[in-house]
Amino acid sequence: MNERGVMMERVALTISLILSVIVTFLNVNADDYVGATFMGIISLLLLIELIKSTKNKGDISV
C-alpha cells in the first residue's frame, strides 16, 4: 500500500477509536453496561490495530 493509503487507514482507525470511546462513555452514563462492555472491547481492538499499523510503518506518529 502506498504512503497515502497507510495514512488514510490510520485516520480511519483513529476516528473509529474516538467514536467508539465516546459511545462507550455514553452507554456507561445511560447504565447500559452490556453495550458499554461491547463498545469497550471494540475500542480495545481498534487501539491494537492502530498500534500495529503504526509499528508496521516504523514511526510513532499517528
Side-chain angles (χ1 to χ4, degrees):
M1 191 181 302
N2 61 13
E3 192 168 324
R4 182 178 175 175
V6 171
M7 183 58 98
M8 291 303 292
E9 178 184 353
R10 283 197 225 156
V11 170
L13 285 172
T14 304
I15 291 170
S16 298
L17 178 62
I18 291 168
L19 290 175
S20 64
V21 168
I22 290 170
V23 171
T24 302
F25 179 73
L26 291 174
N27 282 335
V28 169
N29 281 342
D31 294 330
D32 181 14
Y33 298 113
V34 174
T37 302
F38 179 72
M39 287 308 295
I41 292 169
I42 298 293
S43 299
L44 184 62
L45 293 173
L46 283 167
L47 181 62
I48 290 169
E49 285 299 316
L50 186 61
I51 290 170
K52 279 200 279 190
S53 173
T54 302
K55 282 187 177 182
N56 287 343
K57 179 65 179 163
D59 62 2
I60 58 171
S61 63
V62 173

